[in-house]
Amino acid sequence: MTRLTLRRPDDWHLHLRDGAMLRAVLPETAAHFARAIIMPNLVPPVVRHDDAIAYKSRIDAAMPEGASFQPLMTLYLTEDSDPNDVAAAAASGLVHAVKLYPAGATTNSASGVRNFDKVRPVLDKMAEIGLPLCVHGEVVDDDIDIFDREAVFIDRILDPIRRATPGLRVVMEHITTSDAVAYAEAQDDTLAATITTHHLVINRNHILAGGIRPHYYCLPVAKRESHRLALRAAATSGQARFFLGTDSAPHTDANKLLPCGCAGCFTAPNTMSILAHVFEEDGALDKLEAFTSLNGPAFYRLPVNDSTIELIRHDTPVSYPEAIPTEDGPVTVFDPGFPLHWAVAPQEGSD
Ligand code: DOR
Ligand code: ZN
């Protein structure tokens, strides 16, 4: 097959940042995707309905001309979040999820949750109104090995929260382990999981073997190969509970290449090419549309997109820029480490 038409995909986990970075990265996602769940981990974070209204208007102001891209806003859960403010933000149609960061788990998570009892009223309200909770599922305890933090989170935090809040709709974000796949597969339809592009193609050797490669460092950190294979099987299975959330997380090279560099892979430009490669390699091109364009809207109770994109398989490899320029410096584009043959066809009206 050399051409594949898909309903236009959505990205159910995306970092757009703000200011110069927002202006530089937004066109990359808007070129291929119709909608994205926009992460709220700015400094200061997007906590209240008013913060989301203001951030949405900054995104709209940065929108490239002619783009038809809809940011789906989220709120950052803090111990001071107000259930009524969250409910009003959802009722207005602006906010589609609330993001739970355990305090200290990742980039800009200092305002996240330490004491989960304190967010109980918000979670109860969310269960009542059906608003999804997007969960960064890692414990932060120093005594828990970083490669075990996701699995421990499921047992110690996620499962107890779900049992204590019946009906709460949860998305396990950017899952990285076979433990998370197994947990997700065993639950009812109040639970879903996003999978990133990069976790389908790298394992921890890519980060650490033969030299340290900061551009492959993200959180949750990539795990051993058996976990990557479990993620591949889940993503390509077509099961409704698994869908794409790229977690495309731009940082300038200057910030990635520090002695204590930032976590994040910037996959927005070549995500669709990489995914087509992965699904083709696994004999599952017929499941790609479910992963990128159907399962996410079903969970978020939104219509699927009417428009389509076309992917073309080229005989010679397609190339992407090594980095995109921003006013703050270059941002390296994720390198999958193999040649890419699939590319999104240019759309009518674009150059
Ligand atoms: O790698 C990551 N980068 N993981 C996260 O959870 C946050 C993200 C970011 O904001 O840079
Ligand atoms: Zn993220």
Side-chain angles (χ1 to χ4, degrees):
M1 184 192 297
T2 55
R3 280 170 186 267
L4 186 62
T5 301
L6 303 179
R7 276 186 193 268
R8 202 166 173 80
D10 302 304
D11 184 349
W12 300 97
H13 185 133
L14 177 68
H15 296 270
L16 283 180
R17 316 297 192 205
D18 218 338
M21 185 66 91
L22 167 63
R23 288 192 292 278
V25 302
L26 175 58
E28 301 294 334
T29 290
H32 299 160
F33 292 86
R35 301 170 289 197
I37 283 277
I38 309 301
M39 287 296 128
N41 63 335
L42 306 181
V43 187
V46 179
V47 175
R48 300 185 56 86
H49 184 192
D50 283 349
D51 301 331
I53 293 171
Y55 186 29
K56 163 83 162 44
S57 46
R58 297 200 297 281
I59 296 170
D60 288 341
M63 201 66 74
E65 226 182 283
S68 66
F69 173 73
Q70 191 193 358
L72 306 173
M73 306 309 291
T74 63
L75 299 179
Y76 185 120
L77 184 62
T78 72
E79 292 178 6
D80 298 322
S81 290
D82 171 1
N84 295 323
D85 183 67
V86 169
S92 77
L94 179 78
V95 161
H96 293 263
V98 171
K99 178 71 187 274
L100 164 62
Y101 289 104
T106 187
T107 311
N108 303 335
S109 63
S111 312
V113 178
R114 287 184 169 77
N115 179 349
F116 289 88
D117 290 337
K118 293 210 173 142
V119 295
R120 174 129 313 285
V122 180
L123 300 185
D124 286 341
K125 176 61 85 176
M126 291 172 62
E128 185 191 316
I129 64 177
L131 185 66
L133 179 72
C134 296
V135 177
H136 183 111
E138 288 189 286
V139 293
V140 294
D141 313 46
D142 286 337
D143 61 331
I144 305 294
D145 189 279
I146 190 163
F147 293 104
D148 297 332
R149 287 180 177 187
E150 182 173 280
V152 172
F153 183 90
I154 293 168
D155 289 346
R156 285 195 194 166
I157 314 276
L158 179 61
D159 196 59
I161 285 180
R162 293 186 62 243
R163 284 175 194 279
T165 326
L168 181 66
R169 308 183 68 242
V170 171
V171 185
M172 299 169 75
E173 296 295 330
H174 42 53
I175 58 170
T176 59
T177 56
S178 57
D179 311 71
V181 170
Y183 183 78
E185 283 179 335
Q187 309 306 308
D188 63 15
D189 64 4
T190 60
L191 191 88
T194 57
I195 303 177
T196 75
T197 307
H198 48 283
H199 288 115
L200 294 175
V201 297
I202 62 165
N203 62 34
R204 61 195 193 181
N205 281 11
H206 290 82
I207 314 169
L208 295 169
I212 189 157
R213 293 192 182 72
H215 293 299
Y216 290 147
Y217 171 62
C218 66
L219 288 170
V221 70
K223 310 295 191 298
R224 63 169 64 244
E225 178 66 358
S226 55
H227 293 295
R228 185 185 74 89
L229 294 176
L231 299 174
R232 291 269 288 229
T236 58
S237 70
Q239 289 180 81
R241 64 195 58 219
F242 298 110
F243 45 88
L244 174 65
T246 66
D247 199 15
S248 181
H251 294 277
T252 60
D253 288 355
N255 285 332
K256 288 289 292 176
L257 305 176
L258 291 171
C260 182
C262 293
C265 298
F266 178 55
T267 53
N270 54 7
T271 270
M272 290 309 298
S273 291
I274 299 171
L275 290 174
H277 177 106
V278 163
F279 278 67
E280 179 179 52
E281 199 166 74
D282 289 5
L285 272 179
D286 61 327
K287 302 288 185 353
L288 180 58
E289 187 178 45
F291 185 64
T292 62
S293 318
L294 304 179
N295 297 347
F299 185 82
Y300 276 92
R301 298 176 174 163
L302 292 168
V304 295
N305 298 310
D306 284 332
S307 52
T308 56
I309 59 164
E310 194 179 22
L311 284 156
I312 299 179
R313 194 182 199 293
H314 299 264
D315 291 337
T316 49
V318 292
S319 61
Y320 288 88
E322 240 170 73
I324 64 157
T326 80
E327 288 166 40
D328 299 330
V331 174
T332 289
V333 175
F334 177 78
D335 173 6
F338 45 76
L340 292 169
H341 288 268
W342 289 93
V344 177
Q347 285 180 276
E348 272 170 50
S350 68
D351 43 30

